[in-house]
Amino acid sequence: AGEQNTTGERNAYFGNFAGRSSNGSNNVAIGQGAGGNGSYSNSILIGASAGLGNSSNDNIFIGRGAAQLLTTG
């Protein structure tokens, strides 16, 4: 969890590959792949692949695959 996160601060990642290769601060990602490959801040992502590839800030995503590849919102 949190692997290859180079610019983020104050994040909590729980789950295999959660938050991997992501950038941003003040996030919580729970679930396999949740919040991976994204650039976001101030977000809560819960569920396998929730918010995967997300580049939108200030969100709450709950559910498997919720808001994958979201760019605005």
Side-chain angles (χ1 to χ4, degrees), residues 21-48:
S21 299
S22 64
N23 298 305
S25 299
N26 307 313
N27 300 299
V28 175
I30 302 171
Q32 181 172 335
N37 300 321
S39 181
Y40 51 89
S41 292
N42 310 311
S43 295
I44 300 170
L45 317 167
I46 301 173

Side-chain angles (χ1 to χ4, degrees), residues 5-27:
N5 181 309
T6 58
T7 61
E9 298 178 327
R10 298 173 303 277
N11 296 307
Y13 299 125
F14 303 95
N16 196 27
F17 301 118
R20 183 176 192 211
S21 299
S22 64
N23 298 305
S25 299
N26 307 313
N27 300 299

Side-chain angles (χ1 to χ4, degrees), residues 23-24 27 39-43 54-59 61 71 73:
N23 298 305
N27 300 299
S39 181
Y40 51 89
S41 292
N42 310 311
S43 295
N54 172 42
S55 61
S56 178
N57 297 321
D58 308 311
N59 294 293
F61 303 138
T71 57

